[in-house]
Coordinates of all heavy atoms in Angstrom, one line a residue:
M1 N 68.1 132.1 113.6 CA 69.6 132.3 113.7 C 70.2 131.0 114.1 O 69.7 130.2 114.9 CB 69.8 133.4 114.7 CG 71.3 133.8 114.9 SD 71.5 135.2 116.0 CE 71.7 136.5 114.8
A2 N 71.4 130.8 113.7 CA 72.2 129.5 114.0 C 72.5 129.5 115.4 O 72.6 130.5 116.1 CB 73.4 129.5 113.1
D3 N 72.7 128.3 115.9 CA 73.1 128.1 117.3 C 74.5 128.8 117.6 O 75.4 128.7 116.7 CB 73.3 126.6 117.7 CG 71.9 125.9 117.6 OD1 70.9 126.5 117.9 OD2 71.9 124.7 117.3
E4 N 74.6 129.5 118.7 CA 75.8 130.1 119.0 C 76.8 129.1 119.7 O 76.4 128.3 120.5 CB 75.6 131.3 119.9 CG 74.9 132.4 119.2 CD 74.8 133.7 120.1 OE1 75.7 133.9 120.9 OE2 73.9 134.5 119.9
I5 N 78.0 129.2 119.3 CA 79.0 128.3 119.8 C 79.7 129.0 121.0 O 80.2 130.1 120.8 CB 80.0 127.9 118.8 CG1 79.3 127.1 117.7 CG2 81.1 127.0 119.4 CD1 80.2 126.7 116.5
E6 N 79.8 128.4 122.1 CA 80.5 129.0 123.2 C 81.9 128.5 123.2 O 82.2 127.3 123.3 CB 79.8 128.6 124.6 CG 80.5 129.2 125.8 CD 79.8 128.8 127.1 OE1 78.8 128.1 127.0 OE2 80.4 129.1 128.1
L7 N 82.9 129.4 123.1 CA 84.3 129.1 123.0 C 84.9 129.1 124.4 O 84.7 130.1 125.2 CB 85.1 130.0 122.1 CG 84.6 130.0 120.7 CD1 85.5 131.1 119.9 CD2 84.8 128.7 120.0
K8 N 85.6 128.0 124.8 CA 86.3 127.9 126.1 C 87.6 127.3 125.8 O 87.8 126.5 124.9 CB 85.5 127.0 127.0 CG 84.2 127.6 127.5 CD 83.6 126.7 128.5 CE 82.3 127.2 129.0 NZ 81.7 126.3 130.0
T9 N 88.6 127.7 126.6 CA 89.9 127.1 126.6 C 89.9 125.8 127.3 O 89.1 125.6 128.3 CB 90.9 128.1 127.2 OG1 90.9 129.3 126.4 CG2 92.3 127.5 127.1
A10 N 90.7 124.9 126.9 CA 90.8 123.6 127.6 C 91.3 123.8 129.0 O 92.0 124.8 129.3 CB 91.9 122.7 126.9
P11 N 90.8 123.0 130.0 CA 91.1 123.2 131.4 C 92.6 122.9 131.6 O 93.2 122.2 130.8 CB 90.3 122.2 132.1 CG 89.9 121.2 131.1 CD 89.8 121.9 129.8
A12 N 93.2 123.4 132.7 CA 94.6 123.1 133.0 C 94.8 121.6 133.2 O 93.9 120.9 133.7 CB 94.9 123.8 134.3
D13 N 95.9 121.2 132.7 CA 96.2 119.7 132.8 C 97.6 119.6 133.4 O 98.6 120.1 132.9 CB 96.2 119.1 131.4 CG 96.2 117.6 131.4 OD1 96.9 117.1 132.2 OD2 95.6 117.0 130.5
F14 N 97.7 118.9 134.5 CA 98.9 118.8 135.3 C 100.0 118.1 134.5 O 101.2 118.2 134.8 CB 98.7 118.0 136.6 CG 98.4 116.5 136.4 CD1 99.4 115.6 136.4 CD2 97.1 116.1 136.2 CE1 99.1 114.2 136.2 CE2 96.8 114.8 136.0 CZ 97.8 113.8 136.0
R15 N 99.7 117.4 133.4 CA 100.7 116.8 132.6 C 101.5 117.8 131.7 O 102.5 117.5 131.2 CB 100.1 115.7 131.6 CG 99.4 114.6 132.4 CD 98.7 113.7 131.4 NE 97.5 114.4 130.8 CZ 96.7 113.9 129.9 NH1 96.9 112.7 129.4 NH2 95.7 114.6 129.4
F16 N 100.9 119.0 131.6 CA 101.5 120.0 130.8 C 101.7 121.3 131.6 O 101.0 122.3 131.3 CB 100.7 120.3 129.6 CG 100.3 119.0 128.9 CD1 99.0 118.4 129.0 CD2 101.2 118.3 128.1 CE1 98.7 117.3 128.4 CE2 100.9 117.2 127.4 CZ 99.6 116.6 127.6
P17 N 102.7 121.4 132.5 CA 102.8 122.5 133.4 C 103.5 123.7 132.8 O 103.4 124.8 133.3 CB 103.7 122.0 134.5 CG 104.5 120.9 133.9 CD 103.6 120.3 132.8
T18 N 104.2 123.6 131.6 CA 104.9 124.7 131.0 C 104.0 125.5 130.1 O 102.8 125.1 129.8 CB 106.1 124.2 130.2 OG1 105.6 123.4 129.1 CG2 107.1 123.4 131.1
T19 N 104.4 126.7 129.7 CA 103.6 127.5 128.8 C 103.6 127.0 127.4 O 102.6 127.4 126.7 CB 104.1 129.0 128.8 OG1 105.5 128.9 128.4 CG2 104.0 129.6 130.2
N20 N 104.5 126.2 127.0 CA 104.5 125.7 125.6 C 103.4 124.6 125.6 O 103.5 123.5 126.2 CB 105.8 125.1 125.2 CG 105.9 124.6 123.8 OD1 104.8 124.4 123.2 ND2 107.1 124.4 123.3
Q21 N 102.4 124.8 124.8 CA 101.2 123.9 124.8 C 101.2 122.9 123.6 O 100.2 122.3 123.3 CB 99.9 124.7 124.8 CG 99.7 125.5 126.1 CD 99.6 124.6 127.3 OE1 98.7 123.7 127.3 NE2 100.4 124.7 128.3
T22 N 102.3 122.8 122.9 CA 102.4 121.9 121.8 C 102.0 120.5 122.1 O 101.2 119.9 121.4 CB 103.8 122.0 121.1 OG1 104.1 123.3 120.8 CG2 103.9 121.1 119.9
R23 N 102.6 119.9 123.1 CA 102.3 118.5 123.5 C 100.9 118.4 124.0 O 100.2 117.4 123.7 CB 103.3 118.0 124.6 CG 103.0 116.6 124.9 CD 104.0 116.0 125.9 NE 105.3 115.9 125.2 CZ 106.4 115.7 125.9 NH1 106.4 115.6 127.2 NH2 107.6 115.6 125.3
H24 N 100.4 119.4 124.7 CA 99.0 119.4 125.2 C 98.1 119.3 124.0 O 97.1 118.5 123.9 CB 98.8 120.6 126.0 CG 97.5 120.6 126.8 ND1 97.2 121.7 127.6 CD2 96.5 119.7 126.9 CE1 96.0 121.4 128.1 NE2 95.5 120.3 127.7
C25 N 98.3 120.1 123.0 CA 97.5 120.2 121.8 C 97.5 118.8 121.1 O 96.4 118.3 120.8 CB 98.1 121.3 120.8 SG 97.8 121.0 119.1
F26 N 98.7 118.2 120.9 CA 98.8 117.0 120.2 C 98.1 115.9 120.9 O 97.4 115.0 120.4 CB 100.3 116.6 120.0 CG 100.6 115.5 119.1 CD1 100.3 115.5 117.8 CD2 101.1 114.3 119.6 CE1 100.6 114.4 116.9 CE2 101.4 113.2 118.8 CZ 101.1 113.3 117.5
T27 N 98.3 115.8 122.3 CA 97.6 114.8 123.1 C 96.1 114.9 123.0 O 95.4 113.9 122.9 CB 98.1 114.9 124.6 OG1 99.5 114.8 124.6 CG2 97.5 113.9 125.4
R28 N 95.6 116.1 123.1 CA 94.1 116.3 123.0 C 93.6 115.9 121.6 O 92.5 115.3 121.6 CB 93.7 117.7 123.3 CG 94.0 118.2 124.7 CD 93.3 117.3 125.7 NE 93.4 117.9 127.1 CZ 92.8 117.5 128.1 NH1 91.9 116.5 128.0 NH2 92.9 118.1 129.3
Y29 N 94.3 116.1 120.6 CA 93.9 115.7 119.2 C 93.9 114.2 119.2 O 92.9 113.6 118.7 CB 94.9 116.2 118.2 CG 94.6 115.9 116.8 CD1 93.7 116.6 116.0 CD2 95.1 114.8 116.2 CE1 93.4 116.3 114.7 CE2 94.8 114.4 114.9 CZ 94.0 115.2 114.2 OH 93.6 114.9 112.8
I30 N 94.9 113.5 119.7 CA 94.9 112.0 119.7 C 93.8 111.5 120.6 O 93.1 110.5 120.2 CB 96.3 111.5 120.2 CG1 97.3 111.8 119.1 CG2 96.2 110.1 120.5 CD1 98.7 111.5 119.5
E31 N 93.5 112.1 121.8 CA 92.5 111.7 122.7 C 91.1 111.7 122.0 O 90.3 110.8 122.1 CB 92.4 112.5 123.9 CG 93.5 112.2 124.9 CD 93.6 113.1 126.1 OE1 93.1 114.2 126.0 OE2 94.2 112.7 127.1
F32 N 90.9 112.8 121.2 CA 89.6 112.9 120.5 C 89.4 111.8 119.5 O 88.4 111.2 119.4 CB 89.6 114.3 119.7 CG 88.4 114.4 118.8 CD1 87.1 114.5 119.3 CD2 88.6 114.4 117.4 CE1 86.0 114.6 118.4 CE2 87.5 114.5 116.6 CZ 86.2 114.6 117.1
H33 N 90.5 111.5 118.7 CA 90.3 110.5 117.7 C 90.3 109.1 118.3 O 89.6 108.2 117.7 CB 91.4 110.6 116.6 CG 91.1 111.8 115.8 ND1 90.2 111.9 114.8 CD2 91.7 113.1 115.8 CE1 90.1 113.1 114.2 NE2 91.0 113.8 114.8
R34 N 90.9 108.9 119.4 CA 90.8 107.6 120.1 C 89.4 107.4 120.6 O 88.8 106.3 120.6 CB 91.8 107.5 121.2 CG 93.2 107.2 120.8 CD 94.1 107.1 122.0 NE 95.4 106.7 121.6 CZ 96.5 106.7 122.4 NH1 96.3 107.0 123.7 NH2 97.7 106.3 122.0
C35 N 88.8 108.5 121.1 CA 87.5 108.4 121.6 C 86.5 108.1 120.5 O 85.6 107.3 120.7 CB 87.1 109.8 122.3 SG 85.5 109.9 123.0
L36 N 86.7 108.7 119.4 CA 85.8 108.5 118.2 C 85.9 107.0 117.8 O 84.9 106.4 117.5 CB 86.1 109.3 117.0 CG 85.7 110.8 117.1 CD1 86.1 111.5 115.8 CD2 84.2 110.9 117.3
A37 N 87.1 106.5 117.8 CA 87.3 105.1 117.4 C 86.7 104.1 118.4 O 86.1 103.1 118.0 CB 88.8 104.8 117.3
A38 N 86.7 104.5 119.7 CA 86.1 103.6 120.7 C 84.6 103.8 120.8 O 83.9 102.8 121.0 CB 86.8 103.9 122.1
K39 N 84.1 105.0 120.7 CA 82.7 105.3 121.0 C 81.8 105.4 119.7 O 80.6 105.4 119.8 CB 82.5 106.5 121.8 CG 83.4 106.6 123.0 CD 82.6 106.2 124.2 CE 83.5 106.4 125.5 NZ 83.1 105.7 126.6
G40 N 82.5 105.6 118.6 CA 81.8 105.8 117.3 C 81.6 107.3 117.0 O 81.7 108.2 117.8
E41 N 81.4 107.5 115.7 CA 81.3 108.9 115.2 C 80.1 109.6 115.7 O 80.1 110.9 115.8 CB 81.3 108.9 113.6 CG 82.5 108.3 113.0 CD 83.6 109.3 112.8 OE1 83.3 110.5 112.8 OE2 84.8 108.9 112.7
E42 N 79.1 108.9 116.1 CA 77.8 109.5 116.5 C 77.8 109.9 118.0 O 76.9 110.6 118.4 CB 76.6 108.6 116.2 CG 76.5 108.2 114.7 CD 76.3 109.4 113.8 OE1 75.6 110.3 114.2 OE2 76.9 109.4 112.7
S43 N 78.8 109.5 118.7 CA 78.9 109.8 120.1 C 79.2 111.2 120.5 O 80.1 111.8 119.9 CB 79.9 108.9 120.8 OG 80.0 109.2 122.2
N44 N 78.4 111.8 121.4 CA 78.6 113.1 121.8 C 79.6 113.2 123.0 O 80.1 114.3 123.4 CB 77.3 113.8 122.3 CG 76.4 114.1 121.1 OD1 76.9 114.3 120.0 ND2 75.1 114.0 121.4
E45 N 80.0 112.0 123.5 CA 81.0 112.0 124.6 C 82.4 112.5 124.2 O 83.1 112.9 125.1 CB 81.1 110.5 125.1 CG 79.8 110.0 125.7 CD 80.0 108.5 126.1 OE1 81.1 108.2 126.7 OE2 79.1 107.7 125.9
C46 N 82.7 112.5 123.0 CA 84.0 112.9 122.5 C 84.1 114.4 122.2 O 85.2 114.9 122.0 CB 84.4 112.1 121.3 SG 84.3 110.4 121.5
E47 N 83.0 115.1 122.3 CA 82.9 116.5 121.9 C 83.8 117.4 122.8 O 84.4 118.3 122.3 CB 81.5 117.0 121.9 CG 81.3 118.3 121.2 CD 81.8 118.3 119.8 OE1 81.6 117.3 119.1 OE2 82.3 119.3 119.3
R48 N 84.0 117.0 124.1 CA 84.8 117.8 124.9 C 86.3 117.8 124.4 O 87.0 118.8 124.5 CB 84.7 117.4 126.4 CG 85.2 116.1 126.7 CD 85.0 115.7 128.1 NE 85.3 114.3 128.3 CZ 86.2 113.9 129.2 NH1 86.7 114.7 130.0 NH2 86.4 112.6 129.3
F49 N 86.7 116.6 124.0 CA 88.1 116.5 123.5 C 88.3 117.4 122.2 O 89.3 118.0 122.0 CB 88.5 115.1 123.2 CG 88.6 114.2 124.4 CD1 87.8 113.1 124.5 CD2 89.5 114.5 125.4 CE1 87.8 112.3 125.6 CE2 89.5 113.7 126.5 CZ 88.7 112.6 126.6
A50 N 87.2 117.4 121.4 CA 87.3 118.3 120.2 C 87.4 119.7 120.5 O 88.2 120.5 120.0 CB 86.0 118.0 119.3
K51 N 86.6 120.2 121.5 CA 86.7 121.6 122.0 C 88.1 121.9 122.5 O 88.6 122.9 122.2 CB 85.7 121.8 123.1 CG 84.3 121.9 122.5 CD 83.3 122.1 123.7 CE 81.9 122.0 123.2 NZ 80.9 122.2 124.2
Y52 N 88.7 120.9 123.2 CA 90.0 121.1 123.8 C 91.1 121.3 122.7 O 91.8 122.3 122.7 CB 90.4 120.0 124.7 CG 89.6 119.8 125.9 CD1 89.6 118.6 126.6 CD2 88.7 120.8 126.4 CE1 88.9 118.4 127.8 CE2 87.9 120.6 127.5 CZ 88.0 119.4 128.2 OH 87.2 119.2 129.3
Y53 N 91.1 120.4 121.8 CA 92.2 120.5 120.8 C 91.9 121.6 119.8 O 92.9 122.3 119.4 CB 92.4 119.1 120.0 CG 91.6 118.9 118.8 CD1 91.9 119.5 117.6 CD2 90.6 117.9 118.8 CE1 91.2 119.2 116.5 CE2 89.8 117.6 117.7 CZ 90.1 118.3 116.5 OH 89.4 118.0 115.4
R54 N 90.7 122.0 119.6 CA 90.4 123.1 118.7 C 90.8 124.4 119.3 O 91.2 125.4 118.6 CB 89.0 123.1 118.3 CG 88.6 122.0 117.3 CD 87.2 122.0 117.0 NE 86.9 120.8 116.1 CZ 85.8 120.1 116.2 NH1 84.8 120.5 117.1 NH2 85.6 119.1 115.5
S55 N 90.8 124.5 120.7 CA 91.2 125.7 121.3 C 92.7 125.8 121.5 O 93.2 126.9 121.7 CB 90.4 125.9 122.7 OG 91.0 124.9 123.6
L56 N 93.4 124.7 121.5 CA 94.8 124.7 121.7 C 95.6 124.7 120.4 O 96.7 125.2 120.4 CB 95.2 123.4 122.5 CG 94.7 123.4 124.0 CD1 94.9 122.0 124.5 CD2 95.5 124.4 124.8
C57 N 95.2 124.0 119.4 CA 96.0 123.7 118.2 C 95.7 124.8 117.1 O 94.6 125.1 116.8 CB 95.6 122.4 117.6 SG 95.9 121.0 118.8
P58 N 96.8 125.2 116.4 CA 96.6 126.0 115.3 C 95.9 125.3 114.1 O 96.1 124.1 114.0 CB 98.1 126.3 114.8 CG 98.9 126.1 116.0 CD 98.2 125.0 116.8
G59 N 95.1 126.0 113.4 CA 94.3 125.4 112.3 C 95.1 124.6 111.3 O 94.7 123.6 110.8
E60 N 96.3 125.2 111.0 CA 97.1 124.6 110.0 C 97.6 123.2 110.4 O 97.7 122.3 109.6 CB 98.4 125.5 109.7 CG 98.1 126.8 109.1 CD 97.7 127.8 110.1 OE1 98.0 127.7 111.3 OE2 97.1 128.8 109.7
W61 N 97.9 123.0 111.7 CA 98.3 121.7 112.2 C 97.1 120.7 112.1 O 97.4 119.6 111.7 CB 98.7 121.8 113.7 CG 99.9 122.6 114.0 CD1 100.6 123.4 113.1 CD2 100.6 122.8 115.2 NE1 101.7 124.0 113.7 CE2 101.7 123.6 115.0 CE3 100.3 122.3 116.5 CZ2 102.5 124.0 116.1 CZ3 101.1 122.6 117.5 CH2 102.2 123.5 117.3
I62 N 96.0 121.2 112.5 CA 94.8 120.3 112.4 C 94.6 119.8 111.0 O 94.3 118.6 110.8 CB 93.5 121.0 113.0 CG1 93.7 121.3 114.5 CG2 92.3 120.1 112.8 CD1 92.7 122.2 115.1
E63 N 94.6 120.7 110.0 CA 94.4 120.4 108.6 C 95.5 119.4 108.2 O 95.2 118.4 107.5 CB 94.5 121.6 107.8 CG 93.3 122.6 107.9 CD 93.5 123.9 107.2 OE1 94.4 123.9 106.3 OE2 92.8 124.8 107.5
R64 N 96.7 119.6 108.6 CA 97.8 118.7 108.2 C 97.6 117.3 108.8 O 97.8 116.3 108.1 CB 99.2 119.3 108.6 CG 100.3 118.4 108.1 CD 101.7 119.1 108.3 NE 101.6 120.2 109.3 CZ 102.5 120.4 110.2 NH1 103.6 119.7 110.3 NH2 102.3 121.4 111.1
W65 N 97.3 117.3 110.1 CA 97.1 116.0 110.8 C 95.9 115.2 110.2 O 95.9 114.0 110.1 CB 96.9 116.2 112.3 CG 98.1 116.7 113.0 CD1 99.4 116.6 112.6 CD2 98.1 117.4 114.2 NE1 100.2 117.2 113.5 CE2 99.5 117.7 114.5 CE3 97.2 117.8 115.1 CZ2 99.9 118.3 115.7 CZ3 97.6 118.5 116.3 CH2 98.9 118.7 116.5
N66 N 94.8 116.0 109.8 CA 93.7 115.3 109.2 C 94.1 114.7 107.9 O 93.7 113.5 107.5 CB 92.5 116.3 109.0 CG 91.8 116.6 110.3 OD1 91.9 115.9 111.3 ND2 91.2 117.8 110.3
E67 N 94.9 115.4 107.1 CA 95.4 114.9 105.8 C 96.3 113.6 106.0 O 96.1 112.6 105.3 CB 96.2 115.9 105.0 CG 95.3 117.0 104.4 CD 96.2 118.1 103.8 OE1 97.4 117.9 103.6 OE2 95.6 119.2 103.5
Q68 N 97.1 113.7 107.0 CA 98.0 112.6 107.3 C 97.2 111.4 107.8 O 97.5 110.2 107.4 CB 99.0 113.0 108.4 CG 100.0 114.0 107.9 CD 100.9 114.5 109.1 OE1 100.6 114.4 110.2 NE2 102.1 114.9 108.7
R69 N 96.1 111.6 108.6 CA 95.3 110.5 109.0 C 94.6 109.8 107.8 O 94.6 108.6 107.7 CB 94.2 110.9 110.0 CG 94.7 111.0 111.4 CD 93.6 111.3 112.4 NE 92.6 112.3 112.0 CZ 91.4 111.9 111.5 NH1 91.0 110.7 111.4 NH2 90.6 112.9 111.2
E70 N 94.1 110.6 106.9 CA 93.5 110.1 105.7 C 94.5 109.3 104.8 O 94.1 108.3 104.2 CB 92.9 111.3 104.9 CG 91.7 111.9 105.5 CD 91.2 113.2 104.8 OE1 91.8 113.5 103.7 OE2 90.4 113.9 105.4
N71 N 95.7 109.8 104.8 CA 96.7 109.1 103.9 C 97.4 108.0 104.6 O 98.3 107.3 104.0 CB 97.8 110.1 103.5 CG 97.2 111.2 102.6 OD1 96.3 111.0 101.9 ND2 97.8 112.4 102.6
G72 N 97.1 107.8 105.9 CA 97.8 106.7 106.7 C 99.2 107.0 107.1 O 99.9 106.1 107.4
T73 N 99.5 108.3 107.2 CA 100.9 108.7 107.5 C 101.0 109.5 108.8 O 102.0 110.1 109.1 CB 101.5 109.5 106.4 OG1 100.7 110.7 106.2 CG2 101.7 108.7 105.1
F74 N 99.9 109.5 109.6 CA 99.9 110.3 110.9 C 100.9 109.7 111.8 O 100.9 108.5 112.0 CB 98.5 110.3 111.5 CG 98.4 111.1 112.7 CD1 98.4 112.5 112.6 CD2 98.3 110.5 114.0 CE1 98.3 113.3 113.8 CE2 98.2 111.3 115.1 CZ 98.2 112.7 115.0
P75 N 101.8 110.5 112.4 CA 102.9 110.0 113.2 C 102.5 109.6 114.6 O 103.3 108.9 115.3 CB 103.8 111.2 113.3 CG 102.9 112.4 113.2 CD 101.8 112.0 112.2
G76 N 101.3 109.9 115.1 CA 100.9 109.5 116.4 C 100.1 108.2 116.6 O 99.7 107.7 115.6
P77 N 100.0 107.7 117.8 CA 99.3 106.5 118.1 C 97.8 106.7 118.1 O 97.3 107.3 119.1 CB 99.9 106.0 119.4 CG 100.2 107.3 120.1 CD 100.6 108.3 119.0
L78 N 97.1 106.3 117.1 CA 95.6 106.4 117.2 C 95.1 105.0 117.4 O 94.2 104.5 117.5 CB 95.1 107.0 115.9 CG 95.5 108.5 115.6 CD1 95.0 108.9 114.2 CD2 95.0 109.4 116.6

């Protein structure tokens, strides 16, 4: 049987005290990709950021941001 994935929500972050988690989602997505750029694709150290943004961000946003990164049109600082 395949490994079971344990789903957890990102921990509370004092930078995002309101219930609207849009900025929190976007920041975690950027942190993940910055970590990959700094540590490399093979690093497991970035996996926590991946879990955070995947638990916070809608799948449609992630797909769109991935396409934008591939096309060089991503609006955030990577």
Side-chain angles (χ1 to χ4, degrees):
M1 185 176 256
D3 294 330
E4 290 189 29
I5 298 173
E6 182 180 352
L7 297 177
K8 290 184 181 180
T9 301
D13 192 324
F14 69 91
R15 298 175 293 179
F16 310 102
T18 63
T19 56
N20 184 342
Q21 294 295 305
T22 302
R23 183 177 290 166
H24 191 180
C25 152
F26 189 70
T27 300
R28 293 300 188 171
Y29 181 84
I30 290 173
E31 287 174 336
F32 171 69
H33 289 285
R34 283 184 176 171
C35 181
L36 285 182
K39 310 264 185 197
E41 297 278 336
E42 303 299 321
S43 176
N44 289 330
E45 296 177 42
C46 304
E47 195 56 35
R48 66 185 171 125
F49 295 119
K51 288 179 184 177
Y52 296 164
Y53 88 76
R54 288 177 186 145
S55 72
L56 292 166
C57 302
E60 295 85 17
W61 294 7
I62 295 169
E63 290 173 15
R64 183 171 20 140
W65 292 339
N66 288 339
E67 288 175 13
Q68 290 173 338
R69 279 188 320 99
E70 291 172 7
N71 296 332
T73 60
F74 184 73
L78 296 175

